Amino acid sequence: MKQRSAALVGVELGAAVATAREISKQVLAPEAAAVDEEQRWPEKGMAALRSRLGGLVVPAECGGMGHGLLAVAQVGEATGQACASTSICFGMHLVGSAVIAAKASRRQEEHYLNPIAAGEHLTTLALSEPGTGGEFWLPQTRMERVGGSLLRLTGAKSFVTNAGHADSYVLSTLAAGPGKPPGQFSCTVVDATVPGLEWGPPWQGFGMRGNASRGLELRGAEIADWCLLGEEGDEIWYVFNVVAPYFLMAMAGTYLGVAAAALEEARVHLLRHRGARVGRSAAGQPVVQHRLGTMWARVERTRRLIYHAAAEAEIGAPQALLGLASAKAEVAEAAEATVNDALTLVGGIGYSEHSPLHRMLRDARAAHVMSPMTDLLRVWTGRALLDEPLLES
C-alpha cells in the first residue's frame, strides 16, 4: 500500500469528520428519538453514512478512503452525539470492513471491499455467542470442510448488530472434523443470502434500541472456501490485531459522543434559563459552575485519551493496548457520569420520558456491558503492565 503524507491524510480525515457531522445533524439527530421509541433499525441514517463514508477504512487501492483507528474514533464521536444506536451500527460496519481488508484476497477485494468502498455494501460482526458470554474470542460455532471447496458452518451467534440488514457478516468459528487441532479458531465472511441463516426475535432493549441486535442460528450454512479470512487458525490474530482495536475505538468514539451531547444539553439548558428566573439564575451559582466545569474536564480528558490511544495504536507503539483498553473503560464511566450530572443540572425537565437525556442515560449504560466489559478491560490493562498473559483464566 502506498503511504500518503501526514498532511494529506489530515485534510482527508477532516473532510470525513465534517461529512459525519453534516449527516449527523441533517439525518441522524432528527431521527434519533423515533429510532429509540420505535426500536427500529436506523435505515435512513445508515443509508446516508454508508453511501458517503462506507469505505472509511477500506484501502485506497480498493477505492476506499484508507483511514484507520483515529478516523473511526472521530467519526464515531460525531455520530454518537446525534444517535448512539446509529453510531454503533455504522461502527460495526467499519470494524467488519477492517477485518475483511486486513488479509483480503483478490476475490474478497472484488466481492466485498470494492462494493463497500462504493457505498453499496453493508457488513458487520457476528462474534459473540450464547455459550461464551463476553469471551467472543472463544467461538463454538463449528466450521468443517465439505468436499473440496465448501465450508459448512453450524452454531449460534448472539447480539449481532445490524442483524438482518447487513449484506454480509464476519464470523468467528472453531475447526471441526477428523485431524483438526483443538482450539483452532478461524474467521470467515458470510453473505446474507446464504441458505441456513435463521434470525432470532427482534431486539427489545433497555437502551441502544435501534441497533437491531439479534441472535443468529447457523444451520449447516455452506459458503465457498474463498470466504475464509486469512488462513485457518488466524482468528486470535484477527481479534487482537484488528477486531479489538477497531471495536474499542468504534465504541469509545460513540460513547464519547454521548458524553459530549449530554454536556452540551446541560450547558444550553443553563444558558437558555439564565434570565428566566427572578433573582439569581442557576447559571450564576458557583456550585453549578463547578459541576459544569468538572463535566467539561471529564469529557475532554477522555477525548484526549481516546484520540491518543488511536494514534499510538496506528503506529504500533509498545503500550498501545493499554490506551485502547483504557479508552473504552474510561469512556464508559465518563458517559454515564456526565449524563447523570446533566440530569442533575437540568432538573425535572430532564426526567421527562421524551428528554434526550433519558435516552442518553439508557444508551450510556450499555457501554459497560458491551464486550469487552469495563472490568475485563481494567484486568487486561493490569495484566499487560505486569507482563501477564491477557487471556489467562
Side-chain angles (χ1 to χ4, degrees), residues 62-73:
C62 296
M65 300 179 187
H67 287 299
L69 296 168
L70 184 57
V72 171

Side-chain angles (χ1 to χ4, degrees), residues 13 20 27-28 55 94 97 103 144 190-191 208 219 227 239 246 263 278 303 311 313 315 351 383:
L13 176 55
V27 185
L28 272 58
L94 296 179
S97 299
K103 294 185 178 183
E144 54 190 335
V190 179
D191 287 334
M208 304 299 297
R219 302 186 181 276
C227 294
V239 164
Y246 277 89
L263 171 63
V278 177
R303 176 181 291 115
I315 63 173
Y351 286 87
R383 285 179 175 170

Side-chain angles (χ1 to χ4, degrees), residues 60-257:
E61 57 264 35
C62 296
M65 300 179 187
H67 287 299
L69 296 168
L70 184 57
V72 171
Q74 292 188 336
V75 166
E77 180 182 359
T79 54
Q81 287 188 47
C83 177
S85 285
T86 309
S87 186
I88 286 294
C89 287
F90 187 62
M92 293 308 99
H93 163 77
L94 296 179
V95 182
S97 299
V99 176
I100 296 172
K103 294 185 178 183
S105 66
R106 180 59 61 87
R107 192 162 186 179
Q108 289 165 354
E109 289 178 358
E110 294 173 353
H111 191 78
Y112 297 109
L113 296 182
N114 292 346
I116 288 173
E120 299 168 354
H121 186 103
L122 182 71
T123 192
T124 196
L125 297 181
L127 303 184
S128 297
E129 298 188 0
T132 57
E135 296 180 324
F136 59 84
W137 52 89
L138 297 175
Q140 297 303 305
T141 295
R142 294 163 62 87
M143 180 185 77
E144 54 190 335
R145 286 197 171 271
V146 182
S149 61
L150 292 178
L151 301 172
R152 179 180 293 151
L153 307 176
T154 306
K157 297 294 180 179
S158 58
F159 298 110
V160 180
T161 299
N162 296 314
H165 299 281
D167 299 298
S168 65
Y169 299 86
V170 173
L171 274 70
S172 52
T173 67
L174 172 66
K180 293 293 184 182
Q184 179 172 287
F185 306 122
S186 302
C187 284
T188 66
V189 59
V190 179
D191 287 334
T193 54
V194 169
L197 305 184
E198 184 176 315
W199 293 105
W203 170 243
Q204 302 289 328
F206 172 75
M208 304 299 297
R209 303 204 294 195
N211 67 355
S213 182
R214 300 166 71 178
L216 170 63
E217 292 282 343
L218 296 134
R219 302 186 181 276
E222 294 184 356
I223 59 175
D225 60 0
W226 61 262
C227 294
L228 180 70
L229 297 175
E231 302 293 331
E232 289 193 56
D234 275 356
E235 190 251 359
I236 294 296
W237 180 90
Y238 277 104
V239 164
F240 284 100
N241 289 279
V242 189
V243 175
Y246 277 89
F247 188 85
L248 291 170
M249 284 300 98
M251 298 276 287
T254 290
Y255 290 107
L256 174 61

Side-chain angles (χ1 to χ4, degrees), residues 325-336:
S326 295
K328 197 256 184 183
E330 288 291 318
V331 80
E333 296 180 354
E336 186 179 23

